[in-house]
Amino acid sequence: MHCGVGSYIGTPVQVAIGRNLALLSSSDRLYLDHAATTPVSAGARAAMGHALEHWANPSSPHADGRKARAALEQARRTIADVLGWPHDVILTSGASEAIQIVAARAKLERRVFGPIEHDVAEAAMGPDGTVLPVDRNGLIDLSALDDALAQGPALVAIQLVNNETGVIQSLGQIYERIRAAGSLLLADCAQAAGKVALPDADFIAVSAHKLGGPPGIGALLVKDLGTLEASGGQERGYRRGTENLPGAAGMAAALQGRRFANAMPRLSALRQTLEDGILASGGAVIAAGAPRIPTIGAYAMPGVASASQLIQFDLAGISVSAGSACSSASMKPSRVLATMGVPSEIAECTIRVSFGADTSEADIARFLGEWRRISERANARAA
């Protein structure tokens, strides 16, 4: 069975694009694409406004610079404390830069990574890296990991939470193997930080805009700076560029607010309601047998192409996506789903729904109502 985009490609796309400013300002839209980015929390906005008063360069030696430096270091300490990280924190422009820094400068020759990592990890780890297989739920094959580690010490990059399916890797088991082999673990925690407990790892990449902070700021958590080659510049020589004090303050405030962490039990119940409704309407839940974070789910509507779904949901005032925001604009088939062995006729009909800290029962009811309408219209046309 092929999904078939049909008549939904063309004019509706142009209409949706032409209305982009209205879509952004409309108060009646339902935003369910928080895995792409989250609204900046009120606490983060207030902290950023206050930090903008310290407009001097934090690296300048004069009194104004020292005042900015003090504020920056306070934000750094808050980020570390809330994340439960007792080691070093390098402030970056986001998780992507954090991953690139480690991939380029970790003091090990070999690179090993999972096949469903974020695109930036695949690119940064290089074409000569060893790619580990996953099972049908997207979980790393531990036997293959052992085989790769037996070939010598390596930097191993694994996501804690997959950005398309929400699948959670067993990084505790994985890190035991990596550490015993004298290797290093880079954990991409962009979708996990501020929501669930972070794992033990040598390097952890986090991003503020996934947890209610501003875009353009993130952090690389480093257990031992001696495992990473310095390059000069700011951040104790591990990153070049003027420090983003307002961004760091906003990230610290967003983490300190714990809005996502506090909402996780409620969001878990909401996701169950969502998935019960999707299954009852003939849909499918991707990786239903794997542990998954409550904030991200991938769902297939058989017979209706992802592109068609996105357009129809968008015109109904609902924002969802077809996987990672970094690749969904191209509407190419999902590399993640293909690697997991999801049949193409299902993958081509799959969308991602992701919750925010304030997502409500009414939001889920509205989404399910539109899901049913889209599915019923498709079934009627096919009859």
Side-chain angles (χ1 to χ4, degrees):
M1 176 190 65
H2 191 276
C3 293
V5 176
S7 62
Y8 289 97
I9 293 297
T11 302
V13 176
Q14 296 167 1
V15 170
I17 294 173
R19 294 170 53 216
N20 62 339
L21 293 179
L23 293 177
L24 286 173
S25 61
S26 176
S27 60
D28 62 353
R29 289 191 61 83
L30 171 55
Y31 185 75
L32 291 174
D33 195 22
H34 293 267
T37 196
T38 57
V40 180
S41 70
R45 291 197 300 270
M48 293 175 70
H50 180 71
L52 286 170
E53 298 176 8
H54 304 292
W55 43 263
N57 190 319
S59 293
S60 297
H62 46 62
D64 294 310
R66 294 197 302 273
K67 189 173 183 179
R69 169 60 60 182
L72 182 74
E73 295 309 315
Q74 179 57 56
R76 192 193 310 273
R77 286 192 295 271
T78 299
I79 291 168
D81 289 346
V82 176
L83 292 176
W85 187 253
H87 311 292
D88 287 287
V89 175
I90 298 172
L91 297 174
T92 67
S93 63
S96 291
E97 185 191 8
I99 290 167
Q100 290 171 325
I101 288 172
V102 179
R105 304 213 295 272
K107 295 180 180 179
L108 289 174
E109 293 297 324
R110 297 179 58 239
R111 299 289 184 265
V112 176
F113 58 97
I116 59 172
E117 299 299 299
H118 189 280
D119 288 347
V120 70
E122 182 181 36
M125 296 294 278
D128 297 327
T130 299
V131 182
L132 301 171
V134 295
D135 66 15
R136 62 186 180 86
N137 283 317
L139 297 172
I140 293 291
D141 184 325
L142 297 181
S143 295
L145 173 62
D146 290 339
D147 291 341
L149 294 173
Q151 298 176 33
L155 170 68
V156 182
I158 303 289
Q159 280 181 323
L160 176 57
V161 173
N162 183 262
N163 52 302
E164 291 192 31
T165 64
V167 168
I168 301 174
Q169 298 288 341
S170 299
L171 285 192
Q173 284 183 291
I174 289 172
Y175 192 40
E176 287 179 4
R177 287 169 156 81
I178 290 172
R179 187 164 45 191
S183 295
L184 300 172
L185 172 61
L186 164 58
D188 174 1
C189 294
Q191 297 291 352
K195 300 167 186 173
V196 297
L198 296 186
D200 191 11
D202 298 289
F203 309 101
I204 293 178
V206 299
S207 192
H209 76 103
K210 305 293 189 182
L211 51 85
I217 186 70
L220 172 60
L221 314 184
V222 183
K223 181 174 287 187
D224 178 3
L225 287 174
T227 60
L228 198 64
E229 189 73 39
S231 65
Q234 288 79 4
E235 292 299 298
R236 298 176 61 181
Y238 288 90
R239 181 189 187 255
R240 296 180 182 275
T242 301
E243 297 95 336
N244 180 358
L245 172 55
M251 180 177 181
L255 282 166
Q256 201 165 33
R258 302 179 188 272
R259 295 181 66 249
F260 268 100
N262 293 336
M264 294 304 275
R266 182 179 61 80
L267 297 181
S268 181
L270 283 183
R271 189 189 66 183
Q272 189 61 57
T273 298
L274 171 66
E275 295 185 353
D276 288 345
I278 285 175
L279 292 171
S281 300
V285 178
I286 304 300
R292 292 174 294 133
I293 197 167
T295 51
I296 301 174
Y299 308 108
M301 184 187 294
V304 186
S306 304
S308 175
Q309 291 183 57
L310 296 191
I311 293 166
Q312 294 183 72
F313 276 118
D314 192 36
L315 293 176
I318 301 174
S319 299
V320 291
S321 69
S324 170
C326 299
S327 58
S328 61
S330 67
M331 293 311 301
K332 294 179 181 178
S334 167
R335 171 178 57 85
V336 170
L337 298 184
T339 302
M340 292 168 58
V342 176
S344 59
E345 64 269 22
I346 297 298
E348 292 169 1
C349 301
T350 297
I351 63 171
R352 180 182 69 183
V353 179
S354 49
F355 296 170
D358 295 327
T359 300
S360 68
E361 291 183 12
D363 295 335
I364 300 307
R366 177 179 171 184
F367 174 85
L368 285 173
E370 191 59 33
W371 174 285
R372 295 186 189 103
R373 280 189 286 274
I374 294 171
S375 181
E376 289 168 1
R377 285 195 295 265
N379 290 335
R381 288 194 301 271

